[in-house]
């Protein structure tokens, strides 16, 4: 499995506190069967991230994982805030794409989704990038389903937090989440883990297991395989 959203780089944003924390997170990933973790530090005003430094930081962490026998590969990435995306150069955007491809993880602004999110996504698409909208469950408003559908119709992918998906009750067949799943608005799962000391675990297995209880096997298969295409830059268009 591949985790496309994780704050695993040490002492950088509000993620891993130090190298020991990063190592513990990677071990947690390894136990879950995750082989690749995208390092997606926050790219926004309130975190002092130098995009130029990210390749060296990734390499440093990779060396530490290798020398400690942790079989997890760290891939490049970033979590670009809605309000930061327009101000980034093409070079900087390219440097925080997920893996080798052109997918960019886009963090909605605080609160419920607003028109501006779709506008920012459209500008990213015009610049040749493929936006992946992060953790929509934190940005639900009255017109949640319509906004998600509009983003998907425009070509955005929707990434839900694995732990949140694992909490969807299979018996709640009339609930909003199952409706969104059946409507094809769940494209990707990721952990958005920040630390081994608390918060969300670096674990995808329970989220995928819950998806399989609710969705047809072919759709669950696609969702679980899609991160490979995201990382290698192959086209990622849901077949539904
Ligand atoms: Fe995040």
């Amino acid at each position: 499995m591949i985790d496309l959203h994780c704050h695993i780089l040490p002492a950088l944003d509000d993620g891993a506190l130090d190298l020991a924390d990063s190592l513990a997170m990677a071990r947690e990933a390894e136990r879950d069967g995750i082989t690749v973790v995208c390092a997606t530090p926050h790219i926004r005003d309130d975190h002092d991230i130098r995009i130029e430094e990210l390749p060296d930081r990734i390499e440093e962490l990779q060396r530490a994982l290798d020398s400690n026998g942790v079989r997890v590969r760290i891939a490049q990435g970033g979590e670009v805030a809605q309000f930061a995306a327009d101000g980034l150069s093409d070079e900087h955007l390219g440097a925080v794409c997920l893996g080798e491809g052109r997918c960019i993880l886009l963090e909605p602004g605080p609160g419920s989704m607003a028109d501006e999110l779709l506008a920012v996504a459209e500008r990213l698409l015009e610049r040749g990038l493929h936006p992946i909208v992060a953790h929509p469950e934190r940005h639900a408003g009255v017109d949640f389903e319509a906004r998600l559908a509009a983003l998907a119709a425009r070509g955005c992918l929707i990434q839900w937090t694995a732990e949140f998906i694992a909490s969807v009750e299979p018996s709640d067949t009339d609930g909003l989440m199952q409706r969104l799943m059946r409507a094809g608005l769940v494209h990707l799962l990721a952990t958005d883990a920040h630390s081994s000391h608390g918060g969300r675990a670096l674990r995808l297995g329970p989220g995928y297991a819950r998806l399989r209880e609710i969705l047809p096997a072919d759709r669950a298969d696609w969702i679980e395989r899609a991160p490979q295409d995201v990382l290698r830059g192959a086209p990622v268009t849901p077949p539904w």
Side-chain angles (χ1 to χ4, degrees):
M1 292 182 286
I2 295 170
D3 186 17
L4 294 177
H5 183 168
C6 186
H7 300 263
I8 196 167
L9 291 178
L12 195 56
D13 55 358
D14 55 354
L17 298 176
D18 48 28
L19 183 58
D21 196 10
S22 301
L23 283 168
M25 290 171 76
R27 287 197 175 98
E28 197 174 22
E30 193 180 29
R31 281 196 297 277
D32 189 52
I34 294 171
T35 52
V36 183
V37 173
C38 270
T40 56
H42 287 291
I43 308 297
R44 62 186 200 207
D45 291 351
D46 55 343
H47 292 284
D48 183 21
I49 308 287
R50 316 269 161 91
I51 292 175
E52 300 76 12
E53 294 176 2
L54 292 178
D56 285 347
R57 288 178 180 268
I58 289 169
E59 208 182 302
E60 227 170 279
L61 176 58
Q62 189 66 63
R63 270 201 305 272
L65 295 177
D66 294 346
S67 62
N68 282 275
V70 185
R71 283 163 306 184
V72 168
R73 184 168 73 78
I74 305 297
Q76 78 160 36
E79 181 178 13
V80 177
Q82 176 184 324
F83 300 112
D86 289 334
L88 293 178
S89 65
D90 289 342
E91 194 186 341
H92 275 174
L93 278 172
V96 292
C97 280
L98 303 177
E100 312 296 315
R102 296 289 287 166
C103 285
I104 200 108
L105 189 62
L106 178 61
E107 181 188 38
S112 52
M113 288 179 175
D115 294 341
E116 185 59 11
L117 177 64
L118 181 57
V120 170
E122 284 182 333
R123 289 195 285 273
L124 287 171
L125 284 155
E126 280 162 19
R127 294 172 76 179
L129 294 145
H130 193 173
I132 296 178
V133 177
H135 46 60
E137 71 277 1
R138 286 191 230 162
H139 308 279
V142 276
D143 46 6
F144 190 41
E145 187 168 353
R147 287 189 185 275
L148 290 174
L151 287 161
R154 193 60 190 83
C156 296
L157 294 165
I158 316 288
Q159 176 257 301
W160 299 78
T161 304
E163 189 181 88
F164 172 76
I165 292 295
S167 75
V168 174
E169 269 304 321
S171 60
D172 187 19
T173 50
D174 295 330
L176 172 66
M177 266 322 294
Q178 289 212 31
R179 202 167 70 233
L180 296 178
M181 286 180 184
R182 287 192 299 269
L185 294 170
V186 174
H187 303 141
L188 296 162
L189 301 193
T191 71
D192 194 14
H194 280 65
S195 174
S196 65
H197 298 293
R200 289 174 292 276
L202 216 171
R203 205 161 50 216
L204 290 168
Y208 285 131
R210 185 51 49 90
L211 267 191
R212 288 182 184 284
E213 288 177 59
I214 294 169
L215 287 178
D218 58 341
R219 195 176 287 191
D221 286 344
W222 189 91
I223 294 169
E224 196 168 335
R225 275 198 314 263
Q228 293 174 30
D229 290 336
V230 168
L231 287 198
R232 63 168 196 244
V236 196
T237 307
W240 52 82

